[in-house]
Amino acid sequence: MKSGFLLSLLLLASLKLTAQSDSITYQPNKINQFKLVPLPAIGSNPANGWLFGLAPSATWYMGDPQTTKMSNFVGNFLYTTKQQWIFSSRSNIFLNENKTILIGDWRYFITSQPTYGLGSSTPNEPMENPNQPGVWWGEQQMDFRLIRFYEAILKRIGDSKLYLGAGYHLDVHSKIKNFQDEEITDHLEFAHDRYNSDMGFDTEKYTLSGISLNMVMENRDNSVSPYEKNFAWVQYKINPSFLGSDQSSSLLLLDYRHYINLSEKRKRNLVALWGFGNFLVSGKVPYMNLPGMGWDMFGRSGRAYAQGRFRGESMVYTEAEWRFPLQQNKETFGGTVFVNAASFGSKTTQEKLFEKFNPGYGLGLRVMINKQNRTTISADYGFGQKGNSGFYLNVNESF
């Protein structure tokens, strides 16, 4: 979840709010070296107002640390001054000797956020869509509830870095309400409602339920804050109506990350590269299930833009980030400089993928609160086009 947190509380919470086991020796059939960071959270953003709650993270080993990668969990338990509740749990769990990976993404939102229509050319200010007469283009407010349950299990192929597996994915959007500011009096149809009506979906509630086929190459030295090597994920999601989807459809996700170390002595000095694609392959999906900015698993894409700022039937995203230490002999503080760009295609607005890109750039501060596991608090400020910008605070690196 992207949100602007108060940096002072961030630094305060980083002062050893860590619960860990008394021993760092391997104990068979037990969770080893469990470390919890119960980070208190307070902040604000235009969509939510002020937020209060907890943003805990945890790392541990499900086997011998010499032969098993570190598992991790990131959560959000927040309440806002706009009477919104935001609960989420995202996890990557490596079982003993990395023979099995469990990937989880569970969420329950009672929330709101603006939507702007489909494609890469949507403006900030609301106006009539020139490609869709009678339909709003630009900022349109939405209230909704979301129940999400994603869980995938993957088995390693022999002694390789390759994993194959399957997953189940459920999204239920309900109590959807579109509205504009009171000052706007034009009687135009909301982009969300027009799209859903044209595609045969309800405008107030819809369900996407399906299974996925997954292939993962896990070659990173550390999944929380990698210093080197790479990661790849290919997921083909099938959403048949007999599993509860309002209409049958399929989507393809492609995710690749590469980490180039710039110094053998200071491995924290590196360049990180990320390429991400999400495509509607067949059928139709409801508006909020279309590929969107900031709706990747950990909500890290598109720093400089709000979650959901761009959306379409197809999405391509790329990012490059230089990560570096700020201390000569210590690893506590680090910095980052990043650039990114995204393109969205939409048949609805006749906009082709790669026809337009929306770039972003920015810089950030890193505070490593556990050097052994590389648990890191990240604070970034991003700048985009047309006055878009934002402050983002997260646990661990962005990707």
Side-chain angles (χ1 to χ4, degrees):
M1 162 111 187
K2 294 180 177 177
S3 56
F5 287 75
L6 293 181
L7 189 57
S8 59
L9 282 186
L10 159 66
L11 297 177
L12 176 65
S14 71
L15 299 177
K16 301 297 184 180
L17 281 173
T18 303
Q20 59 185 17
S21 59
D22 294 329
S23 172
I24 61 173
T25 59
Y26 169 56
Q27 301 180 47
N29 303 317
K30 291 185 179 181
I31 295 177
N32 294 278
Q33 302 184 32
F34 181 80
K35 297 176 177 63
L36 173 68
V37 181
L39 181 67
I42 180 172
S44 67
N45 64 45
N48 303 108
W50 285 92
L51 305 95
F52 306 91
L54 291 174
S57 71
T59 57
W60 69 95
Y61 292 93
M62 298 295 292
D64 187 344
Q66 298 298 320
T67 58
T68 306
K69 289 183 180 290
M70 184 172 59
S71 299
N72 70 288
F73 156 88
V74 176
N76 280 296
F77 306 93
L78 305 171
Y79 180 73
T80 80
T81 53
K82 292 188 177 181
Q83 299 181 339
Q84 301 164 345
W85 293 93
I86 300 169
F87 304 130
S88 68
S89 164
R90 275 72 63 90
S91 60
N92 284 296
I93 300 173
F94 295 86
L95 300 189
N96 189 33
E97 297 185 346
N98 304 321
K99 293 180 179 179
T100 303
I101 303 177
L102 305 175
I103 302 174
D105 181 357
W106 307 354
R107 309 185 196 188
Y108 178 62
F109 292 173
I110 304 176
T111 188
S112 63
Q113 66 177 225
T115 185
Y116 295 80
L118 301 182
S120 298
S121 301
T122 53
N124 290 332
E125 298 300 323
M127 58 183 291
E128 185 173 7
N129 190 335
N131 297 317
Q132 286 184 292
V135 179
W136 280 113
W137 208 34
E139 185 174 357
Q140 304 154 63
Q141 296 294 329
M142 290 181 60
D143 288 341
F144 63 93
R145 296 190 179 189
L146 169 64
I147 297 174
R148 169 169 290 184
F149 177 82
Y150 290 2
E151 192 68 40
I153 180 170
L154 298 94
K155 299 289 291 184
R156 191 171 71 178
I157 307 303
D159 294 327
S160 70
K161 304 294 184 180
L162 187 66
Y163 294 79
L164 297 176
Y168 175 70
H169 305 264
L170 173 68
D171 279 319
V172 180
H173 288 85
S174 62
K175 298 190 176 181
I176 302 170
K177 180 183 177 182
N178 294 269
F179 59 95
Q180 287 283 18
D181 295 334
E182 294 182 0
E183 298 88 20
I184 300 176
T185 58
D186 292 340
H187 298 288
L188 301 177
E189 192 172 5
F190 292 103
H192 169 274
D193 292 353
R194 170 62 70 87
Y195 173 88
N196 274 14
S197 297
D198 289 347
M199 298 298 168
F201 293 104
D202 192 89
T203 60
E204 296 182 357
K205 180 180 180 180
Y206 38 77
T207 299
L208 193 68
S209 174
I211 58 174
S212 67
L213 305 175
N214 298 267
M215 180 173 66
V216 165
M217 182 190 69
E218 178 53 88
N219 198 31
R220 295 172 292 185
D221 62 326
N222 180 306
S223 62
V224 170
S225 297
Y227 284 169
E228 55 189 352
K229 300 184 180 179
N230 51 10
F231 168 86
W233 185 9
V234 178
Q235 180 185 81
Y236 186 63
K237 191 185 300 182
I238 305 166
N239 309 296
S241 57
F242 65 80
L243 282 182
S245 296
D246 292 345
Q247 296 187 44
S248 296
S249 64
S250 64
L251 295 125
L252 175 65
L253 180 147
L254 305 172
D255 190 330
Y256 180 74
R257 308 173 189 199
H258 199 93
Y259 305 90
I260 303 171
N261 195 266
L262 301 179
S263 171
E264 285 298 322
K265 294 183 179 179
R266 298 300 298 275
K267 287 186 175 293
R268 197 177 181 185
N269 186 8
L270 65 114
V271 172
L273 305 172
W274 183 17
F276 180 83
N278 202 354
F279 311 93
L280 177 63
V281 177
S282 66
K284 303 171 184 176
V285 298
Y287 186 93
M288 290 295 287
N289 292 114
L290 291 169
M293 182 78 83
W295 279 97
D296 53 285
M297 178 176 171
F298 286 95
R300 305 297 175 88
S301 61
R303 281 175 292 176
Y305 298 95
Q307 185 183 57
R309 177 60 184 84
F310 299 103
R311 193 182 303 274
E313 289 94 332
S314 56
M315 168 188 178
V316 171
Y317 178 81
T318 183
E319 181 161 354
E321 182 172 73
W322 176 32
R323 302 171 186 170
F324 49 88
L326 291 177
Q327 297 165 287
Q328 186 173 0
N329 298 312
K330 296 182 179 180
E331 300 295 336
T332 303
F333 293 99
T336 183
V337 178
F338 61 87
V339 293
N340 59 53
S343 180
F344 291 80
S346 174
K347 296 179 181 179
T348 303
T349 59
Q350 294 84 48
E351 187 170 354
K352 296 180 180 179
L353 189 65
F354 305 125
E355 187 175 308
K356 178 178 173 57
F357 285 88
N358 291 285
Y361 63 94
L363 70 167
L365 174 68
R366 301 291 181 266
V367 181
M368 188 176 292
I369 59 177
N370 186 295
K371 297 178 179 63
Q372 181 181 0
N373 290 350
R374 300 184 199 167
T375 301
T376 303
I377 304 299
S378 61
D380 300 306
Y381 201 94
F383 303 86
Q385 287 185 323
K386 302 177 182 178
N388 287 279
S389 65
F391 176 68
Y392 310 95
L393 185 144
N394 287 297
V395 179
N396 299 323
E397 292 291 356
S398 296
F399 62 92

